[in-house]
């Protein structure tokens, strides 16, 4: 069972804005920065957002993220068909037995 | 440019010890602050962090698997390794080797699917 909770699925139509939530605790999201990953079927995850809200070079500014307390969220505006993928949140966990935590992943469907 | 690539068996027998190798370029494991690790993903399931090792040989493990995992490195050959003992069919997964930037897994290998079956 993942220490970070994400909805299993999300959906939207082209052009819409979609958000994906990630809920954690004081030992992970509440204490450390959050990263988001995008994964297409059969490929390795790609770093989409780091340090709560920073986009690596090459990531469109349609992708944004925020964090408040022990929750974080990823927003995709101007949804496009090519955004259909799995999205994972991840963060360091200060619990002695965990270190790194991933969310269970959210499958985004573009209708 | 940082690249990583996993290698190892695609099929393992239950109870065997699995050893995976990651060969990388674009950085050095002798550089202070550098960390690398392993993350796996069972078919159709979520990502699971397994282990990480730093340039100074400091190591961290997923506590649920700690007794079965060993991560090591050979900085001179630009490689690091993961050993997993007593594998079981539930260990069937794609195994990724990854580079850790500042509190983020920023570069990933392409992954290698390991199937555990008799």
């Amino acid at each position: 069972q993942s220490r970070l909770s994400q909805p299993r699925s999300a959906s939207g139509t082209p052009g819409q804005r979609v958000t994906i939530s990630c809920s954690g605790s004081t030992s992970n999201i509440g204490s450390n920065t959050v990263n988001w990953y995008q994964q297409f079927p059969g490929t390795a995850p790609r770093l989409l957002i780091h340090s709560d809200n920073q986009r690596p070079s090459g990531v469109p500014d349609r992708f944004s993220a925020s964090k408040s307390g022990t929750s974080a969220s990823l927003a995709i505006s101007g949804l496009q068909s090519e955004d259909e993928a799995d999205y994972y949140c991840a963060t360091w966990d200060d619990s002695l037995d965990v270190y790194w935590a991933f969310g269970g992943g959210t499958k985004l469907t573009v209708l | 440019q940082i690249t990583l690539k996993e290698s190892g068996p695609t099929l393992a027998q239950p109870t065997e010890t699995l050893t995976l190798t990651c060969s990388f370029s674009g950085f050095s494991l002798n550089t202070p602050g550098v960390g690398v690790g392993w993350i796996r993903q069972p078919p159709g399931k979520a990502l699971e962090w397994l282990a990480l090792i730093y340039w100074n040989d400091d190591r961290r493990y997923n506590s649920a698997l700690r007794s079965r995992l060993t991560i090591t490195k050979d900085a001179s050959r630009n490689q690091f390794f993961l050993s997993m003992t007593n594998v079981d069919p539930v260990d069937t997964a794609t195994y990724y080797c990854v580079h850790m930037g500042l509190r983020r897994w920023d570069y990933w290998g392409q992954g290698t699917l390991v199937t555990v079956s008799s």
Side-chain angles (χ1 to χ4, degrees):
Chain A
Q1 189 157 349
S2 304
R3 287 199 172 222
L4 305 180
S5 297
Q6 296 181 237
R8 281 184 158 248
S9 63
S11 63
T13 57
Q16 267 191 331
R17 183 177 186 269
V18 172
T19 62
I20 296 172
S21 62
C22 176
S23 177
S25 67
T26 55
S27 68
N28 44 62
I29 293 178
S31 306
N32 299 285
T33 58
V34 178
N35 307 316
W36 290 90
Y37 296 88
Q38 179 189 55
Q39 185 181 33
F40 298 106
T43 69
R46 171 179 83 140
L47 180 63
L48 194 65
I49 297 285
H50 68 85
S51 307
D52 293 338
N53 55 19
Q54 301 300 301
R55 286 186 308 275
S57 61
V59 174
D61 59 8
R62 303 186 294 104
F63 294 90
S64 62
S66 62
K67 186 179 82 173
S68 178
T70 59
S71 293
S73 65
L74 173 71
I76 309 171
S77 59
L79 195 63
Q80 299 180 4
S81 58
E82 55 261 40
D83 298 331
E84 186 163 295
D86 293 325
Y87 293 86
Y88 293 90
C89 58
T91 185
W92 183 269
D93 194 307
D94 291 335
S95 301
L96 292 177
D97 63 342
V98 178
Y99 301 112
W100 270 99
F102 281 94
T106 298
K107 180 170 181 55
L108 175 64
T109 301
V110 181
L111 302 170
Chain B
Q1 180 187 359
I2 291 176
T3 64
L4 305 99
K5 187 173 184 179
E6 308 85 355
S7 59
T10 57
L11 180 65
Q13 303 283 327
T15 75
E16 283 186 343
T17 294
L18 170 68
T19 298
L20 298 174
T21 299
C22 183
S23 302
F24 62 85
S25 63
F27 68 96
S28 171
L29 265 174
N30 287 319
T31 302
V34 172
V36 292
W38 292 91
I39 293 168
R40 72 178 180 180
Q41 185 174 37
K45 296 188 177 181
L47 300 165
E48 179 182 33
W49 170 73
L50 298 176
L52 76 89
I53 187 168
Y54 291 99
W55 89 102
N56 60 357
D57 231 23
D58 188 14
R59 308 172 200 201
R60 299 284 186 268
Y61 295 101
N62 181 319
S63 63
L65 297 164
R66 179 191 304 273
S67 63
R68 299 172 52 212
L69 298 176
T70 303
I71 187 170
T72 56
K73 62 180 175 60
D74 185 339
S76 65
R77 297 180 63 184
N78 282 358
Q79 291 181 321
F80 61 98
F81 314 92
L82 181 74
S83 289
M84 177 182 290
T85 61
N86 193 27
V87 296
D88 181 270
V90 299
D91 296 313
T92 293
T94 296
Y95 288 76
Y96 296 100
C97 61
V98 285
H99 171 275
M100 192 170 78
L102 189 61
R103 289 291 173 98
R104 57 186 177 261
W105 299 108
D106 51 6
Y107 293 93
W108 297 60
Q110 64 188 25
T112 185
L113 175 61
V114 179
T115 301
V116 181
S117 174
S118 56

